[in-house]
Structures are given as C-alpha cells and as structure tokens.
Amino acid sequence: MAVSRQIGKHQTPNTPEPFSKVLQAWLKSGKDKTLGGLITVFAEKSFAIIFLLLMALPALPIPTGGITHVTEIITMLVCLELIVGRDTIWLPKKWLKLDTSNFLSSKSRVRLIGVIKWFEKFSRRRFGDMLTLKPVLSLIGVIVLALTVAAFVAPPFSGLDTLPALGVVAISLALILEDVVFLIAGITIGVAGMALEISAGAALYSGLSHLL
C-alpha cells in the first residue's frame, strides 16, 4: 500500500481544517478504521499519524489492558521503514486489518483530540521544509524507535512508559503541523522519560543488590 514519505507537507487549500478536526471527523465517520484505511485516507502524513495513534495509548494515563505492546511493535516496524528511506509503508496483511477502534476507546479519543488541540494553539509553521528532508526523517525514525523501545521495556503498571510515548506524540505532531519547536520539545520529553526509566531501574537494581 503506497504512502508518500512527505509527512511534513503543508495542508492544501482543499483541506484547510485544523488537523484535530480532520482526525476527529475520520474517527467519528463510518469509514474504514483499520490501519490500512488510515494509510489510504492520510496518505501524505501516514507515517506521522501512525506514530501518533499507536503511541497515544501508552502516552495517555488510562488503562490499556496490555495492548500497548502490540501498538509499540507495529510502531517499531514503521520506524525501521522510515530509517531506511522507504517511500511507502509496508505492513503485514494481518496488521493492516487491525481496527484502530479496538485500541482507541471513546475516552482515549477525546483525550487525544484534546491534546492535539492544545498543541495546535501554539503551533506555527517553523522550519517545516526541513522536516521533509530524507536525512532528517531518517534521524527522526531513529529517535522515535529509541523512545518506542524505552516505552516497550518499561515495567508494567509503572507509568514509566508515559513520557517516552508522549515524546513520540509530540514528534508526530511536529511532523503533521510542520513545527520544529514541537520536535525539540518531543525529543526533550522523551529523553527525560528515558532518563527517569534508567534511574528507576538503577535504583531498583541497587535495592535488590542490598537485599541479596
């Protein structure tokens, strides 16, 4: 299924609505809500939107029922494709049929749209053209992969996956809204989350060492 790599391309005059409204309308519509359907509808920005939707779940402080590991594995694969410079997103047929409605509940959708609207209030098109360059996109793929792995290995129910995942959400919105400031913010949030996770792990290891 072909998808343009130009995930930072500016909105055309035919789609002047804010991204939050476009996404909200798609989520509420009767259209195909599978990952394959998402790729078809949001062709130019599919890489970023897949990152956004799949990593929103661990980023939001709501029960996930363990499904986040599935969304994180899919995100990692898409990251690798971005890193190596693919112009199209490839997913196994089984994954293309995954319905986003199954892991984005009504509550999580409302929260996600709220987060996007908050970002849109402060968004400006700052150095947007830079976010379409292949070396930059590949580097972003590496960063998103690292943050996704950090979220994946976080201990269950610890909440340590929240900041790395939130960093991915901010980076995704940077690509969608074409704002380098959000990219920097996302990297900062994600790195802080990774540092917290490493510190917590080191403290736990130290505590267990003393006990043993």
Side-chain angles (χ1 to χ4, degrees), residues 2-183:
V3 181
S4 170
R5 186 181 167 88
Q6 296 177 342
I7 49 183
K9 189 176 179 180
H10 195 58
Q11 288 179 313
T12 67
N14 294 327
T15 57
E17 298 88 359
F19 171 68
S20 58
K21 289 187 177 180
V22 174
L23 180 61
Q24 189 172 34
W26 179 75
L27 290 171
K28 288 183 175 181
S29 72
K31 295 180 180 179
D32 182 4
K33 298 297 192 306
T34 63
L35 289 181
L38 182 154
I39 291 172
T40 300
V41 172
F42 297 102
E44 290 182 350
K45 297 180 182 290
S46 292
F47 277 93
I49 293 175
I50 281 184
F51 293 154
L52 173 66
L53 293 184
L54 296 186
M55 293 304 291
L57 198 58
L60 298 172
I62 56 176
T64 62
I67 198 173
T68 53
H69 281 344
V70 176
T71 63
E72 287 160 356
I73 289 172
I74 297 173
T75 301
M76 290 179 205
L77 175 59
V78 177
C79 284
L80 291 174
E81 294 179 20
L82 190 62
I83 291 168
V84 300
R86 282 187 61 90
D87 293 321
T88 60
I89 291 178
W90 176 88
L91 290 174
K93 290 182 179 180
K94 185 176 180 179
W95 290 4
L96 288 172
K97 295 178 181 178
L98 284 177
D99 192 337
T100 58
S101 303
N102 292 335
F103 53 83
L104 280 177
S105 65
S106 298
K107 187 176 181 180
S108 61
R109 291 179 193 179
V110 170
R111 291 194 178 186
L112 176 59
I113 295 299
V115 169
I116 295 172
K117 287 182 177 179
W118 185 87
F119 273 89
E120 286 176 336
K121 288 181 183 179
F122 304 98
S123 114
R124 302 289 184 275
R125 192 174 185 276
R126 289 171 279 211
F127 301 100
D129 291 339
M130 186 179 77
L131 299 177
T132 65
L133 300 175
K134 286 190 175 183
V136 174
L137 291 174
S138 294
L139 178 59
I140 289 173
V142 172
I143 294 169
V144 173
L145 178 61
L147 297 180
T148 304
V149 170
F152 183 82
V153 300
F157 310 111
S158 66
L160 292 174
D161 59 340
T162 300
L163 286 180
L166 186 57
V168 174
V169 168
I171 291 170
S172 303
L173 289 172
L175 295 171
I176 294 166
L177 302 175
E178 305 171 36
D179 194 338
V180 168
V181 171
F182 290 168
L183 174 64

